Amino acid sequence: MIYFIHIPKTAGMFVRKIIQENIKNNYIIDDYAQVAYLTDSQINKFDAILGHIGGVFLRRIINPKPVVFLRNPVDRMYSMYNYWRNTIEDSYTKYYSRQPFIEWLKSDVHEVKLEVDGGMAWQLAIDRSYALRLENKPISKNQLLDSATEVLYRCFFIGTQENLR
């Protein structure tokens, strides 16, 4: 089974589309809560799982072939900032995205703080969900990086967003 760990702002929608067009029996997950109630046998009936979930879910898949794309963290955050400025319409996001980039990075915006605090590493090691992150918060930065690296070692394919042209 292909397991695409979709880290936001790493060309994930492009990769997701390619997988969806080529593997018809796929399941898209945007949050771990969406699949927490499914049994392992239900999950393993798919040929591909694609989503904004992380390494915690990997343990539930039989013979996974994990795929992930990474991106330079600064480029990724700048892309997120521009996405907020130019795409999202709600007033909350628009208000914060009017700040200069450095100020936006320093802001108390929940979503920004989660990403600045090692968003890619957290998603690889545990999950993108704030609740699962809180459960695992006592781990040190070294343990977090070790867990994220362990997931990367299991990956069938690792790409970088900058190489997609």
Side-chain angles (χ1 to χ4, degrees):
M1 173 196 297
I2 299 293
Y3 174 51
F4 176 51
I5 302 170
H6 180 181
I7 297 174
K9 309 316 295 170
T10 60
M13 292 306 291
F14 175 77
V15 175
R16 185 188 279 194
K17 183 179 179 208
I18 290 170
I19 295 171
Q20 283 179 278
E21 288 173 356
N22 291 284
I23 300 176
K24 297 301 179 199
N25 183 21
N26 64 70
Y27 188 55
I28 298 172
I29 304 165
D30 287 315
D31 186 81
Y32 185 74
Q34 186 180 343
V35 292
Y37 67 92
L38 293 176
T39 66
D40 290 355
S41 63
Q42 289 171 314
I43 289 165
N44 283 285
K45 287 181 180 172
F46 295 96
D47 296 321
I49 292 182
L50 325 163
H52 289 296
I53 48 177
V56 71
F57 191 70
L58 191 56
R59 294 184 280 267
R60 298 183 64 190
I61 300 172
I62 299 168
N63 297 320
K65 288 184 174 57
V67 173
V68 68
F69 277 72
L70 304 175
R71 188 172 187 184
N72 175 300
V74 175
D75 292 342
R76 185 173 161 270
M77 291 304 295
Y78 193 68
S79 176
M80 185 178 293
Y81 171 72
N82 282 316
Y83 176 76
W84 278 37
R85 287 182 75 114
N86 302 312
T87 308
I88 299 180
E89 296 295 328
D90 68 86
S91 57
Y92 168 81
T93 304
K94 284 293 183 193
Y95 170 78
Y96 282 102
S97 64
R98 285 189 201 111
Q99 297 178 3
F101 178 61
I102 298 299
E103 296 306 313
W104 180 79
L105 286 173
K106 294 177 185 176
S107 71
D108 284 334
V109 178
H110 176 74
E111 295 89 345
V112 176
K113 287 172 69 172
L114 287 176
E115 295 302 332
V116 169
D117 185 36
M120 281 192 295
W122 274 106
Q123 185 170 345
L124 284 169
I126 309 294
D127 192 73
R128 189 165 180 250
S129 119
Y130 183 63
L132 287 175
R133 194 185 281 198
L134 280 178
E135 286 179 24
N136 292 278
K137 194 65 172 178
I139 69 174
S140 71
K141 295 279 185 193
N142 286 342
Q143 290 171 308
L144 173 68
L145 291 174
D146 288 347
S147 294
T149 302
E150 187 178 310
V151 170
L152 288 175
Y153 278 128
R154 294 185 63 190
C155 282
F156 179 72
F157 181 82
I158 301 171
T160 60
Q161 188 275 343
E162 284 80 6
N163 291 337
L164 288 177
R165 299 271 185 240

